[in-house]
Amino acid sequence: GHSQGEIAAACVAGVLSLEDGAKVVALRSKALRRLSGLGAMAFLGAGPEQTEQLLARLRVDVVVAAVNGPASTVVSGPPDQVALVVTEAQEAGWRARLVDVDYASHSPQIDQLEDELTDALTGILPYESDVGFYSTVSATRIDPTILDTSYWVSNLREPVRFADTVRTLLNDGYRAFIEASPHPVLTLGLQETFEEAGVDAATVPTLRRDLGDRLQLVRAVAQAFTAGVQVDWTPLFPTDPIPAVVGLPTYAFQRQRYWLVPAVPGSGGPDDRLWNAIEGLDVKAVTRAVTKALGLGDDSRAAEDLGPALPLLSAWRRQHREQTVLDSWRYQVTWSPLPLAETAAPAGRWLVVVPAGHGDHPAVRATIEALPSASVHLVEAGDVDRDALGTELADLSVAEPPEGVLSLLALDERPHPGQPAVPAGLAATTALVQALGDAGIEAPLWCLTQGAVAVAAADPPPSPVQAQTWGLGRVAALEHPRRWGGLIDLPTTPDERTAARLVALLSPGQPEDQIALRATGAHVRRLHHAPAPGNGVAPWEPGGTTLITGGTGALGAHVARWLAERGAPHLLLAGRRGPDAPGAEELAAELTGLGSRVTLLACDVSDRDSVRALLDAVPADQPLDAVFHTAGLPENTAFTDLDLPHLGEVLRPKAHAAAHLHELTGHLDLSAFVLFSSGAASWGSGHQASYAAANAFLDTLAEHRRALGLAATSLAWGPWGQTGMAADESAVSYFGRRGLAPLEPGLAVKSLQYALDHHDTAVTIADIDWDRFPAGFTAQRPSRLITDLVRVEPPTAGQPDGDSGDHPLLRDLAGGTPAQQHHLLVRHVQTQAAAILGHPDPDAVPAGQPFQELGFDSLTAVELRNQLNASTGLKLPPTLVFDHPTPQELAARLRELLVEADITSEDRVLSDLDRWDAVCEPGAVDDAARRRIARRLELLAAKWGDGGRSTAHLELDTATADDIFDLISEEFGKA
């Protein structure tokens, strides 16, 4: 069974490697002495708490690894005990069944078969392969040559680490999973794992029950093709000519035309026709248009006069269009005043986590003063360990769960002793976010810094080290939206107003999550368009020596070519491999041909001594004039999987190297100090927490240098086209679905020139589709960061304000009665289900018939869930169809989620009664059950009829002693 992709393997003994987050429900090691015969397995559709309660009642001798969240659990053990579990579970109303096997696999009972298995598998000869092999025993990629007899015996004996293995594949960049099987059984588990990891991946089954022919296999290949898998179609067409590939519309074939009809030649507005003629250098057409507009008649001399001007006009037109594009790509972070209303001080229990020795820090004191009505527990964390911190937090929350958690760990700017590139505060903050999840604490986490951002020109130089917590936090908000509270930057000198302002910011329902407090008040972070001012500026020109870190990489090569074309006298290209990097010699020859002197040097820019040696290599006759820092490593790691070595690996070439360059060139009068940052730091990007932290350091370092009077420009780039990740078609598709188009490298370089010409400090350059980007960015958590950029359409007539305008179904629900809403949702579910099953009419899907009887399996269940997500805007679980097994029940669940109604309101009560009446038929239950239901209804009617005074509605088998005495008193009078 799969639960969010986890295989919750269960064994009859304690020989089980539990995953992070797994929970031992019951353990009786004495069961080892009771093994007799072979075993059995059971599948339970129950959550961890339910499973724990069941096993506590049964007192069975089993071990269960149950994961957090909606769970399916496999119980493996002796047949009689497993049968007892199934019986009890079914009586409790859970989906439970025996797995039809004659042995309890993945448990110690396999030990009884070890000799037989070893004999049967003797002779296996593993061999090398060029196809990667990932093992569900170790959840890692392994050498296929070790797949001998002992491995396969272990494979049958040990727990199946299916979800861990899928996560490893995701972390290694795999995004398409093809299940080669007679019928899909892993699709649901794979889909749950993708969603838990926050990764957009596809799973493709091959054959299906009753569909095992070649046509179905071709369908599967086609589905893989649409998921981005490269497919060689030639085996399907053994004879020439191979059919041509035809581009198809991106919508289903409904015989409706959505594309524009091509304009008739000569049509369009006068301006369009004139400019088309100018750009086509069509002198006759331009002459006709001009002489007609000016009423000059047929003047042949006009053609002679206009001809030489057309190339100039065409160039001006192209430049104007280009400038419009460049301006549309430019964004800057601004800080807007936030009025704060007086609110009650936060109450309840609050945890305040600070670095060891910082208990009396002014920022800590100001924070505690903001919680006068709360019970504050101060946690001083030294060398923060995730496991130890998680245990401590869990212990602290047992008696009284906290209302909130405040972290000031970022105040510790010291390098971590084990990873000098990682600030101790950043490592501790990462561990805290993870430990809160491990401890199951749902209270929001607010991370506080001090002087980490620059709000106004009068602010002191901001701290790039603490700014890394802001980059990390923006990603935490995306990956853990319910755990994250926000970021607050305190002034360098807190005053008496700081605590009062913090009170307002920590109040429930406060929508801002990126705030800076200053003497002038509270300020919130916003992203704005930032078109450059007019062109009346002196263009920046390179001189002397220009250093490019990562100079032989894709971005560095683009920059080097541009600098050579601008006349750079000497280019010093530094990289880890220097002249040995692929294509380095060819690049140097190309740049030399453009007129620049080129030096290739191997240098680890994260090493301070190496950077010093690199700068010493700058020739005296061509002193260092500019630095372009393009080096860095990409990242695709879930926040929960971050550890200290990984943080160091990502921060070293980006942030740590930039710090060395800043410190070792601070005495020089550079004309440019350019840092290549990323949009991951501007708005956050899932699975890029370390990368966002490193790039936030760069953005703030630029502001820090400007405040010191030094040259600095940080450019937070969106993806570059034909370069790096965006060189892959699947990556381009991935970015496109999220509203990010790759930047054309030529125009990107012009944006760089533009930023230097206009002395920008920190600017974001990205091609964002604002009709698409906000939907994905705010899918799980609202963000005020982009409030001023989101296009809000005014409501049309008859359409209510608010979110209901996003989905037509919600508009239809808004004005209906409860019964109408239920009927509408039932019909909607029937329509979606019929389309997936291939039925032409929704009536082919009876409202009361279980989906499984209609032919739904795990694959089509996920498809229905996806369709309902798209039509409702909800985030529904993949197990939706199994949790609500008929269209009636599913529609009722959708109404609960979509229609906000007070459970005590008349509409809600009547709606629930109507739904019960519509779903349940008297003949569906036995006589005894029907009598009990009727008696309960009669007693409820009596209660409501006498104004709610009677207690006679209570059933005797659930009544307390007081209830019985009250009943006797009412029925027979008081003695």
Side-chain angles (χ1 to χ4, degrees):
H2 309 291
S3 168
Q4 296 180 339
E6 301 277 2
I7 298 297
C11 307
V12 294
V15 188
L16 179 65
S17 298
L18 296 179
E19 304 162 1
D20 288 343
K23 181 177 181 182
V24 176
V25 178
L27 173 59
R28 304 277 192 272
S29 59
K30 62 184 180 183
L32 280 171
R33 299 191 296 271
R34 295 191 191 158
L35 288 177
S36 61
L38 296 178
M41 300 180 71
F43 175 89
L44 301 180
E49 294 181 1
Q50 294 172 310
T51 306
E52 182 175 5
Q53 294 167 4
L54 174 66
L55 295 175
R57 288 170 54 196
L58 293 172
R59 301 184 181 279
V60 294
D61 300 326
V62 296
V63 174
V64 177
V67 298
N68 296 324
S72 299
T73 304
V74 175
V75 178
S76 175
D80 56 341
Q81 294 192 13
V82 172
L84 182 59
V85 171
V86 171
T87 301
E88 289 285 339
Q90 290 173 341
E91 291 178 358
W94 307 340
R95 289 182 293 109
R97 64 180 175 86
L98 282 171
V99 180
D100 187 16
V101 297
D102 55 4
Y103 58 89
S105 59
H106 309 295
S107 82
Q109 293 206 342
I110 294 300
D111 294 344
Q112 301 179 42
L113 303 176
E114 182 174 359
D115 292 341
E116 182 179 344
L117 289 170
T118 301
D119 292 341
L121 299 176
T122 297
I124 289 180
L125 297 175
Y127 57 90
E128 293 184 359
S129 170
D130 57 357
V131 176
F133 187 93
Y134 287 73
S135 168
T136 57
V137 177
S138 63
T140 60
R141 180 170 177 167
I142 65 174
D143 183 354
T145 59
I146 71 169
L147 302 178
D148 55 12
T149 299
S150 62
Y151 172 84
W152 292 111
V153 173
S154 298
N155 183 280
L156 187 60
R157 191 324 188 157
E158 298 301 321
V160 182
R161 300 183 61 187
F162 178 74
D164 288 343
T165 309
V166 174
R167 285 196 206 95
T168 301
L169 287 160
L170 293 175
N171 291 337
D172 288 352
Y174 291 95
R175 293 296 180 268
F177 293 73
I178 299 175
E179 179 182 354
S181 64
H183 188 75
V185 294
L186 302 178
T187 297
L188 182 61
L190 285 165
Q191 190 67 39
E192 288 180 313
T193 308
F194 301 159
E195 294 183 7
E196 183 184 46
V199 174
D200 188 6
T203 177
V204 179
T206 48
L207 306 181
R208 299 176 63 174
R209 188 178 298 116
D210 301 326
L211 290 173
D213 57 5
R214 294 184 179 182
L215 180 58
Q216 171 59 26
L217 188 60
V218 173
R219 288 194 190 101
V221 174
Q223 185 180 349
F225 178 71
T226 62
V229 176
Q230 296 296 318
V231 174
D232 178 10
W233 294 104
T234 54
L236 280 178
F237 309 101
T239 59
D240 289 332
I242 296 175
V245 177
V246 178
L248 296 177
T250 56
Y251 53 86
F253 297 107
Q254 296 175 335
R255 302 184 186 279
Q256 299 181 44
R257 294 175 63 89
Y258 289 94
W259 50 83
L260 297 174
V261 177
V264 177
S267 64
D271 289 347
D272 291 336
R273 290 197 297 271
L274 175 61
W275 282 112
N276 288 339
I278 290 174
E279 292 189 359
L281 303 181
D282 188 341
V283 178
K284 292 183 179 179
V286 174
T287 302
R288 284 196 303 270
V290 172
T291 54
K292 182 178 180 180
L294 299 178
L296 299 178
D298 186 10
D299 189 347
S300 60
R301 288 178 300 175
E304 298 177 2
D305 296 336
L306 289 172
L310 293 192
L312 295 175
L313 289 172
S314 178
W316 178 88
R317 174 72 165 177
R318 287 194 299 273
Q319 184 180 7
H320 177 73
R321 285 179 172 174
E322 185 178 276
Q323 189 62 55
T324 301
V325 171
L326 297 182
D327 283 343
S328 73
W329 288 359
R330 288 172 50 90
Y331 300 88
Q332 279 185 323
V333 169
T334 61
W335 293 89
S336 303
L338 174 67
L340 294 177
E342 291 188 8
T343 60
R349 192 180 195 207
W350 285 70
L351 303 181
V352 179
V353 188
V354 304
H358 284 63
D360 199 40
H361 192 284
V364 175
R365 291 201 305 269
T367 301
I368 295 176
E369 288 172 9
L371 304 169
S373 303
S375 170
V376 177
H377 187 95
L378 189 67
V379 179
E380 290 202 38
D383 184 11
V384 178
D385 174 77
R386 172 181 176 173
D387 294 335
L389 184 58
T391 300
E392 181 179 0
L393 293 174
D395 293 341
L396 288 174
S397 64
V398 169
E400 183 182 358
E403 294 293 327
V405 182
L406 299 178
S407 167
L408 291 98
L409 294 171
L411 296 176
D412 190 353
E413 298 189 15
R414 297 172 303 161
H416 192 282
Q419 289 286 342
V422 183
L426 185 71
T429 302
T430 304
L432 175 60
V433 176
Q434 296 169 330
L436 288 171
D438 297 342
I441 296 177
E442 298 297 331
L445 167 65
W446 289 86
C447 286
L448 279 61
T449 56
Q450 187 175 32
V453 299
V455 173
D459 281 0
S463 166
V465 174
Q466 289 193 49
Q468 293 176 90
T469 296
W470 279 66
L472 187 90
R474 289 174 200 130
V475 177
L478 296 175
E479 294 193 42
H480 302 286
R482 282 167 290 282
R483 189 184 311 162
W484 187 253
L487 294 153
I488 300 175
D489 190 57
L490 303 176
T492 52
T493 306
D495 57 25
E496 66 279 359
R497 294 167 294 182
T498 302
R501 288 165 179 161
L502 266 177
V503 169
L505 296 180
L506 298 177
S507 300
Q510 197 281 119
E512 299 289 348
D513 63 358
Q514 296 186 54
I515 312 143
L517 295 180
R518 295 294 183 265
T520 53
H523 305 265
V524 289
R525 191 171 181 267
R526 293 288 186 266
L527 196 63
H528 281 283
H529 275 298
N535 291 323
V537 296
W540 177 83
E541 299 287 349
T545 293
T546 302
L547 168 64
I548 307 175
T549 68
T552 56
L555 293 179
H558 281 298
V559 173
R561 293 187 186 97
W562 162 70
L563 288 167
E565 291 168 355
R566 299 288 296 176
H570 179 216
L571 296 176
L572 177 55
L573 309 185
R576 279 185 172 274
R577 300 174 63 180
D580 296 331
E585 295 296 342
E586 292 81 357
L587 175 62
E590 179 185 353
L591 300 175
T592 301
L594 292 172
S596 293
R597 174 186 170 189
V598 179
T599 301
L600 297 169
L601 287 179
C603 175
D604 178 3
V605 289
S606 65
D607 180 75
R608 186 183 181 91
D609 291 337
S610 296
V611 174
R612 181 180 287 108
L614 177 68
L615 296 176
D616 290 342
V618 174
D621 59 330
Q622 291 178 321
L624 188 66
D625 177 68
V627 173
F628 287 79
H629 182 41
T630 73
L633 288 177
E635 181 185 30
N636 183 24
T637 302
F639 203 107
T640 55
D641 295 333
L642 295 179
D643 56 21
L644 190 60
H646 178 84
L647 284 169
E649 181 182 12
V650 176
L651 291 173
R652 273 195 301 272
K654 181 71 74 170
H656 207 45
H660 296 329
L661 292 167
H662 160 64
E663 293 163 1
L664 295 175
T665 64
H667 63 288
L668 301 176
D669 184 20
L670 302 180
S671 68
F673 187 92
V674 181
L675 303 162
F676 271 42
S677 178
S678 166
S682 294
W683 56 75
S685 181
H687 286 205
Q688 291 189 315
S690 309
Y691 191 64
N695 286 295
F697 180 96
L698 301 188
D699 294 339
T700 308
L701 177 61
E703 294 174 332
H704 183 91
R705 286 178 59 91
R706 287 283 187 179
L708 298 177
L710 301 174
T713 299
S714 182
L715 302 169
W717 296 103
W720 280 48
Q722 308 162 28
T723 299
M725 289 180 61
D728 178 58
E729 290 185 9
S730 61
V732 172
S733 176
Y734 173 86
F735 289 127
R737 290 193 299 273
R738 283 151 181 78
L740 287 171
L743 304 173
E744 196 281 316
L747 287 179
V749 168
K750 289 186 177 181
S751 295
L752 169 57
Q753 175 76 57
Y754 209 50
L756 290 173
D757 291 349
H758 292 85
H759 307 287
D760 287 324
T761 300
V763 61
T764 299
I765 300 174
D767 187 1
I768 302 176
D769 180 353
W770 288 106
D771 289 327
R772 179 173 294 181
F773 180 81
F777 182 63
T778 62
Q780 297 192 66
R781 179 185 176 91
S783 177
R784 293 297 185 95
L785 172 70
I786 60 174
T787 295
D788 300 329
L789 295 169
V790 177
R791 299 167 184 167
V792 180
E793 298 293 337
T796 58
Q799 176 182 315
D801 294 337
D803 295 339
S804 60
D806 294 337
H807 300 278
L809 176 64
L810 304 187
R811 294 200 299 269
D812 295 337
L813 289 172
T817 64
Q820 290 170 335
Q821 292 167 343
H822 181 68
H823 175 75
L824 178 64
L825 288 168
V826 169
R827 198 64 178 171
H828 182 71
V829 172
Q830 289 175 306
T831 301
Q832 300 293 340
I836 289 172
L837 294 175
H839 297 312
D841 193 319
D843 290 330
V845 180
Q849 188 170 358
F851 288 107
Q852 285 183 296
E853 293 181 8
L854 292 167
F856 273 84
D857 56 22
S858 58
L859 178 65
T860 47
V862 171
E863 292 178 8
L864 178 58
R865 187 287 306 260
N866 292 342
Q867 293 283 13
L868 292 175
N869 276 351
S871 63
T872 64
L874 297 172
K875 298 289 286 185
L876 301 166
T879 56
L880 181 73
V881 165
F882 303 107
D883 297 333
H884 310 281
T886 68
Q888 285 274 21
E889 294 173 84
L890 180 50
R893 176 57 178 160
L894 291 177
R895 185 176 179 278
E896 290 177 1
L897 297 173
L898 293 172
V899 181
E900 294 183 3
D902 184 359
I903 194 171
T904 61
S905 70
E906 176 185 358
D907 285 346
R908 179 64 179 269
V909 173
L910 293 177
S911 172
D912 288 345
L913 288 172
D914 289 342
R915 186 167 68 250
W916 173 82
D917 184 47
V919 172
C920 298
E921 293 291 337
V925 295
D926 59 29
D927 291 341
R930 190 161 59 251
R931 285 195 300 272
R932 287 193 298 270
I933 294 171
R935 186 168 74 251
R936 173 59 64 84
L937 292 174
E938 290 169 357
L939 294 172
L940 281 174
K943 173 187 174 182
W944 283 82
D946 64 6
R949 294 185 299 276
S950 175
T951 60
H953 64 285
L954 293 168
E955 293 191 59
L956 295 180
D957 58 358
T958 61
T960 65
D962 290 339
D963 294 332
I964 297 296
F965 284 119
D966 289 343
L967 177 61
I968 294 172
S969 177
E970 289 192 19
E971 294 296 326
F972 300 104
K974 296 182 180 179

